[in-house]
């Protein structure tokens, strides 16, 4: 009988735990953006909860980044709020060093995400004035619901791999992977590899393949800006930031292209046509990041990396290009980018657009109505995410202090048995 009552009590406890009221904001995503927001909230004295669908923080860096990856910008432009990189780290930290930095960041600010929690939906309940966030977790797909006053969307610009629909790709027969699955060119040694895409990932994968004695061909369908990572020992990005303080954007673009020509030469003769719009204007208007060259261009010039035009179709062991040329290939790496997954779960149409980005342009895309916020969608890298994180924490911190000063709110919070999930 005692066992029976014990089982009944356990079942009741289980059903009672199917939802919880979050004391403070709920942050969806434990990448750099989510961690930065959590740290800034901690500094404001605001409790929070962080949900992460993977089993680790910064899953994009830990699971979908190739081994040779380094930060493309100097570390001072990539540090998160309130914690600089260690002084002994190089100017461009490695993948492993950046992960170590993020892990120490989470530890420093006592950020303990709830891992393996995949958000299925989030909607604002106008009747109660709360967000209702439904998740599934674990192998058993256990359902749970979080109810919160503020919702911070921190799933980022690169949540899902983009895999294009190319004619005949299913019949190709060889290995086809996305750049998110690529780790090293070592296992492609001696192979003819088609790299689809010529952004920073496509260029670096092609370079890595050439360094491992593979024969990469890189597909360049459209124009691309290639800039040197450094000019005369100075970061190109740092130079651009300095010039932007004194000069208009169009003039900075002109100067950057002159410097690129002096350092890299004429790249159009190698099949890399530049856009008619300057690199910074293109980044601001379209979100298209210029390639910062770290050695791929030399491999292109030497012929170790072939530049080829767009794809018409695949067939068994072969690709036909738009110019009619056919290439025998062994493997394909799709460096075709990533996209936001926000539209698949956030049931809201005013703040976010269908492409998964806030409708308002930078710097106004961090705050929506009804307590929803966005961090890491500025297309301005880690510095943009840090800027958003600080604004969000300051805004929520102000509201939190106002609400917690009211005795009625404290009583209601007590009656509702709020649980601070940052210590859940």
């Amino acid at each position: 009988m005692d066992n029976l009552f014990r089982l009944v009590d356990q079942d009741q406890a289980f059903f009672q735990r199917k939802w919880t009221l979050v004391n403070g904001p709920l942050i969806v995503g434990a990448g750099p953006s989510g961690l930065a927001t959590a740290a800034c909230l901690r500094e404001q004295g605001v409790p929070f909860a962080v949900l992460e669908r993977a089993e680790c923080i910064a899953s994009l860096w830990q699971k979908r980044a190739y081994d040779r990856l380094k930060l493309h910008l100097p570390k001072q432009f990539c540090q998160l709020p309130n914690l600089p990189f260690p002084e002994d780290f190089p100017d461009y930290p490695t993948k492993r060093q950046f992960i170590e930095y993020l892990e120490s960041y989470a530890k420093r600010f006592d950020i303990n995400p709830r891992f393996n929690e995949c958000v299925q939906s989030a909607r604002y309940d106008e009747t109660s004035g709360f967000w209702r966030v439904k998740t599934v977790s674990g192998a058993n797909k256990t359902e749970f619901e979080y109810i919160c006053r503020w919702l911070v969307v921190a799933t980022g610009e690169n949540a899902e791999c983009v895999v294009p629909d190319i004619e005949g790709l299913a019949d190709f027969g060889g290995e086809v992977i996305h750049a998110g699955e690529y780790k090293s060119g070592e296992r492609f040694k001696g192979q003819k590899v088609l790299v689809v895409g010529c952004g920073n990932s496509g260029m670096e994968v092609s370079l890595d393949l050439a360094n491992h004695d593979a024969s990469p061909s890189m597909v360049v369908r459209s124009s691309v800006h290639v800039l040197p990572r450094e000019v005369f020992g100075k970061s190109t990005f740092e130079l651009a930031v300095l010039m932007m303080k004194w000069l208009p954007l169009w003039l900075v673009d002109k100067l950057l292209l002159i410097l690129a020509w002096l350092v890299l030469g004429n790249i159009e003769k190698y099949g890399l046509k530049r856009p008619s719009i300057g690199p910074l204007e293109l980044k601001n208007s379209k979100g298209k990041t210029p390639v910062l060259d770290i050695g791929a261009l030399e491999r292109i010039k030497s012929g170790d990396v072939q530049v080829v035009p767009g794809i018409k179709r695949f067939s068994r062991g072969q690709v036909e290009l738009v110019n009619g040329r056919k290439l025998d290939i062994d493997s394909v790496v799709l460096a075709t980018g990533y996209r936001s997954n926000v539209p698949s779960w956030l049931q809201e149409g005013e703040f976010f657009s269908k492409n998964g980005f806030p409708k308002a342009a930078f710097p106004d895309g961090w705050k929506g109505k009804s307590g929803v916020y966005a961090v890491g969608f500025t297309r301005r890298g880690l510095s943009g995410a840090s800027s958003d994180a600080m604004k969000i924490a300051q805004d929520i911190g102000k509201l939190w202090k106002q609400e917690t000063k009211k005795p009625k709110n404290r009583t209601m919070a007590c009656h509702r048995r709020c649980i601070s999930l940052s210590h859940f």
Side-chain angles (χ1 to χ4, degrees):
M1 185 63 71
D2 287 342
N3 287 339
L4 178 61
F5 280 119
R6 192 175 296 115
L7 285 171
V8 170
D9 288 341
Q10 286 174 350
D11 284 344
Q12 288 176 342
F14 172 79
F15 285 113
Q16 288 170 0
R17 298 283 290 182
K18 296 293 278 185
W19 66 274
T20 193
L21 185 62
V22 180
N23 188 28
L26 181 67
I27 302 168
V28 181
S33 299
L35 296 177
T37 306
C40 291
L41 286 166
R42 182 74 73 202
E43 294 287 286
Q44 291 280 335
V46 179
F48 56 84
V50 182
L51 302 182
E52 169 55 48
R53 66 178 177 177
E55 71 276 10
C56 60
I57 64 168
S59 61
L60 180 65
W61 280 86
Q62 301 218 47
K63 295 179 173 296
R64 292 191 291 171
Y66 36 91
D67 294 342
R68 65 162 286 119
L69 182 62
K70 295 182 180 180
L71 292 178
H72 289 139
L73 304 181
K75 61 184 179 182
Q76 65 267 30
F77 297 104
C78 300
Q79 65 190 29
L80 301 184
N82 305 314
L83 186 66
F85 280 93
E87 288 186 7
D88 60 346
F89 273 28
D91 289 339
Y92 301 93
T94 64
K95 166 187 168 180
R96 185 65 251 165
Q97 287 171 326
F98 186 55
I99 292 169
E100 287 174 8
Y101 168 75
L102 293 177
E103 288 173 340
S104 67
Y105 191 85
K107 186 175 181 181
R108 167 78 174 268
F109 295 102
D110 192 24
I111 304 167
N112 302 294
R114 296 204 66 180
F115 294 118
N116 298 307
E117 289 270 0
C118 185
V119 173
Q120 300 297 292
S121 67
R123 68 177 181 86
Y124 183 67
D125 186 335
E126 293 186 7
T127 303
S128 65
F130 283 82
W131 285 88
R132 304 186 65 170
V133 182
K134 294 183 179 180
T135 69
V136 295
S137 62
N140 295 328
K141 301 292 183 184
T142 304
E143 295 181 355
F144 202 83
E145 184 172 33
Y146 296 87
I147 299 173
C148 57
R149 172 71 180 80
W150 300 287
L151 176 67
V152 181
V153 180
T155 48
E157 304 166 5
N158 304 314
E160 306 291 344
C161 299
V162 173
V163 178
D165 184 15
I166 306 174
E167 183 183 346
L169 185 58
D171 303 319
F172 167 60
E175 184 175 11
V176 180
I177 63 169
H178 192 274
E181 303 169 75
Y182 180 93
K183 296 302 177 189
S184 167
E186 188 174 359
R187 68 189 179 94
F188 296 97
K189 183 175 182 179
Q191 290 190 27
K192 297 174 183 176
V193 184
L194 187 73
V195 179
V196 183
C198 61
N200 279 296
S201 292
M203 286 280 193
E204 283 206 46
V205 167
S206 297
L207 172 62
D208 191 56
L209 287 165
N211 288 344
H212 285 91
D213 297 322
S215 299
S217 296
M218 184 175 65
V219 175
V220 180
R221 288 190 309 131
S222 56
S223 55
V224 58
H225 276 302
V226 181
L227 303 176
R229 185 171 70 173
E230 294 184 342
V231 177
F232 309 127
K234 196 83 170 173
S235 159
T236 303
F237 180 79
E238 192 172 355
L239 282 173
V241 170
L242 287 171
M243 289 192 287
M244 285 292 290
K245 290 181 179 179
W246 310 102
L247 303 172
L249 184 142
W250 68 266
L251 184 53
V252 176
D253 268 342
K254 291 281 187 188
L255 293 172
L256 286 176
L257 291 176
I258 291 169
L259 290 171
W261 184 83
L262 288 172
V263 176
L264 303 177
N266 179 14
I267 65 171
E268 293 204 8
K269 63 182 180 180
Y270 301 104
L272 301 170
K273 185 179 178 182
R274 289 197 181 277
S276 56
I277 302 174
L280 296 183
E281 185 182 349
L282 190 63
K283 174 69 173 171
N284 287 345
S285 61
K286 306 289 185 183
K288 191 172 181 181
T289 304
V291 172
L292 294 176
D293 179 58
I294 56 170
L297 198 56
E298 278 303 314
R299 290 297 197 137
I300 291 170
K301 290 177 179 179
S302 68
D304 294 327
V305 176
Q306 298 290 326
V307 173
V308 299
I311 297 166
K312 186 174 182 181
R313 66 173 67 89
F314 282 93
S315 56
R316 188 111 186 138
Q318 199 173 68
V319 63
E320 182 181 351
L321 306 173
V322 291
N323 62 2
R325 184 182 171 195
K326 293 183 178 180
L327 299 176
D328 292 328
I329 52 173
D330 301 303
S331 301
V332 177
V333 179
L334 300 171
T336 44
Y338 301 87
R339 64 168 169 254
S340 163
N341 69 358
V342 174
S344 69
W345 59 270
L346 184 63
Q347 297 173 10
E348 184 275 342
E350 289 187 30
F351 185 34
F352 274 85
S353 58
K354 290 181 180 179
N355 68 356
F357 283 78
K359 290 180 179 179
F362 178 84
D364 302 316
W366 60 277
K367 182 180 180 180
K369 295 179 181 179
S370 306
V372 64
Y373 298 85
V375 57
F377 294 90
T378 63
R379 294 188 173 105
R380 282 166 171 76
L382 293 164
S383 61
S386 295
S387 174
D388 282 348
M390 291 186 283
K391 290 177 187 174
I392 291 167
Q394 287 166 4
D395 195 63
I396 295 177
K398 188 166 131 186
L399 295 169
W400 173 263
K401 283 161 190 169
Q402 288 173 354
E403 294 194 5
T404 52
K405 278 180 183 176
K406 300 174 185 176
K408 183 173 117 175
N409 284 352
R410 285 201 300 269
T411 304
M412 287 176 66
C414 187
H415 282 310
R416 286 170 174 169
R417 303 169 66 98
C418 289
I419 300 170
S420 175
L421 292 173
S422 54
H423 297 94
F424 191 78

